[in-house]
Amino acid sequence: QLQLVESGGGLVQPGGSLRLSCAASGSTLNYYAIGWFRQAPGKEREGVSCISRRGGSTKYADSVKGRFTISRDNNKNTVFLQMNSLKPEDTAVYYCAADFKIDQDMCGFSGYDYWGQGTQVTVSS
């Protein structure tokens, strides 16, 4: 069974940067679209970004466009989320998730079957 482990979270000042990693084990990520989600206290979980199984398609929430970049290295079985120009509103637990795709090189913010444990990102001065 596919397992996902996030890392790279921490405390950063507004305007700073973090790079989150999502490392997979148990199966190759080659057939999975990967999404990054976040959940702040008292709020619903929201989609942040996703990347298709072959990397040909990416999507971003409007709130992070121009600041966050998603990428994947299937050889290392890892997906990354580079977060720049961080704002206090970005504070949340960030999760990566995997969606099995047979042939479609596309992604969205629904239908994910496998989830990591989350990593805390805190943006504060």
Side-chain angles (χ1 to χ4, degrees), residues 34-85:
I34 302 296
W36 282 98
F37 298 79
R38 66 187 182 187
Q39 187 167 25
K43 297 183 179 180
E44 294 185 344
R45 185 172 61 202
E46 64 174 337
V48 175
S49 183
C50 67
I51 187 166
S52 60
R53 58 180 284 260
R54 299 183 65 179
S57 179
T58 59
K59 297 183 185 296
Y60 297 91
D62 288 342
S63 59
V64 306
K65 284 181 179 178
R67 300 189 297 120
F68 291 10
T69 303
I70 191 169
S71 62
R72 66 190 300 160
D73 185 344
N74 284 354
N75 187 50
K76 295 185 179 297
N77 230 24
T78 302
V79 176
F80 304 96
L81 183 68
Q82 179 67 46
M83 306 187 297
N84 298 325
S85 302

Side-chain angles (χ1 to χ4, degrees), residues 29-35 49-59 70 72 97-112:
L29 285 180
N30 289 354
Y31 289 96
Y32 294 87
I34 302 296
S49 183
C50 67
I51 187 166
S52 60
R53 58 180 284 260
R54 299 183 65 179
S57 179
T58 59
K59 297 183 185 296
I70 191 169
R72 66 190 300 160
D99 176 19
F100 182 75
K101 298 288 187 182
I102 297 176
D103 278 329
Q104 301 299 312
D105 192 29
M106 59 187 294
C107 74
F109 292 135
S110 64
Y112 288 86

